[in-house]
Amino acid sequence: MNSEPVQPDPVRHRDHGTWLVRFTGRILVVCPRCGGRSLVVPLPGVGDPKYFSDLLFRPRRLVCAGCGAVADWTAEERGRGLVGAVPGGTEDPFFRRPLWLQTRCAGRILWAYDEEHVDALAAFVGARLRERRASPTMAMFARLPAWMKSAGHRDEVLASLAALHVLAGRSAPEHRSDAAHERGDRPRHQGSLLFRGGPY
């Protein structure tokens, strides 16, 4: 995978309503055993999702290349349905492990799921003109905190995103950011349900 960050367009960003769940296909987290970088991915053999929202219900596996830790997650059952994970906050929505990609920025915590997520945020933050072409109800960029969207913080946020991109390529416990720890700031569950009939 290319370790170089994608350079944001300095002029224009078009928001087509990208949801945060789109970036949950691959999440870098702190390993529960060794404290290094581990990876949360869909369980092998399940197949590709038909919709991005399917990613909230797909079984997951946490794997650590450093110490060999492995754990599996499946969605909670409620009656005949599955309770979906809720993305957001500084913990992954499946295993509730601290995200590996966290850093202090403008007096807050800046976080991302993986390099693709970092690049998407950098493209938005770095743009001088931002166009919205979809409803903001579930769109990731419309729901970003005001401090990240502020022109006054643009340079600091971009520098911090570049630091996260570098951190994504590191995996040893000693590379762990001092910001990457439990905070209990996961979003309150909204009760998303999937009535089964698919492969899960």
Side-chain angles (χ1 to χ4, degrees):
M1 177 177 292
N2 185 3
S3 62
E4 292 297 319
V6 174
Q7 295 301 315
D9 182 341
V11 177
R12 186 184 305 269
H13 180 274
R14 293 182 175 91
D15 180 9
H16 295 282
T18 300
W19 289 21
L20 177 60
V21 66
R22 176 177 171 239
F23 300 100
T24 62
R26 179 177 180 273
I27 304 176
L28 307 179
V29 301
V30 175
C31 177
R33 182 190 292 173
C34 71
R37 185 195 67 199
S38 56
L39 187 62
V40 174
V41 293
L43 200 65
V46 175
D48 294 329
K50 186 173 182 181
Y51 306 104
F52 281 129
S53 58
D54 291 348
L55 291 169
L56 297 174
F57 305 93
R58 300 186 77 207
R60 300 293 170 133
R61 176 163 289 169
L62 181 152
V63 292
C64 178
C67 71
V70 177
D72 288 344
W73 174 92
T74 55
E76 173 192 342
E77 295 186 19
R78 184 180 296 168
R80 297 179 59 115
L82 299 177
V83 180
V86 181
T90 59
E91 298 174 2
D92 88 272
F94 306 101
F95 297 91
R96 303 184 183 180
R97 294 298 304 154
L99 298 176
W100 181 257
L101 298 182
Q102 297 188 62
T103 190
R104 301 181 191 281
C105 178
R108 282 94 165 175
I109 300 297
L110 180 64
W111 56 268
Y113 287 148
D114 69 353
E115 302 92 328
E116 183 185 5
H117 191 192
V118 171
D119 290 343
L121 292 171
F124 175 81
V125 172
R128 305 291 171 171
L129 177 62
R130 298 166 183 166
E131 299 177 358
R132 183 181 298 161
R133 297 193 172 191
S135 166
T137 305
M138 296 297 292
M140 177 181 73
F141 297 115
R143 296 163 68 92
L144 290 176
W147 66 269
M148 281 188 68
K149 298 188 268 190
S150 166
H153 289 142
R154 179 180 285 120
D155 291 343
E156 185 176 358
V157 173
L158 287 174
S160 295
L161 288 168
L164 289 183
H165 215 292
V166 171
L167 183 61
R170 297 178 176 167
S171 59
E174 59 267 25
H175 297 145
R176 178 179 177 178
S177 166
D178 69 336
H181 58 81
E182 289 86 353
R183 248 178 226 95
D185 64 348
R186 295 176 71 248
R188 186 167 56 85
H189 196 275
Q190 302 299 314
S192 56
L193 280 173
L194 172 71
F195 290 97
R196 284 179 290 185
Y200 316 139

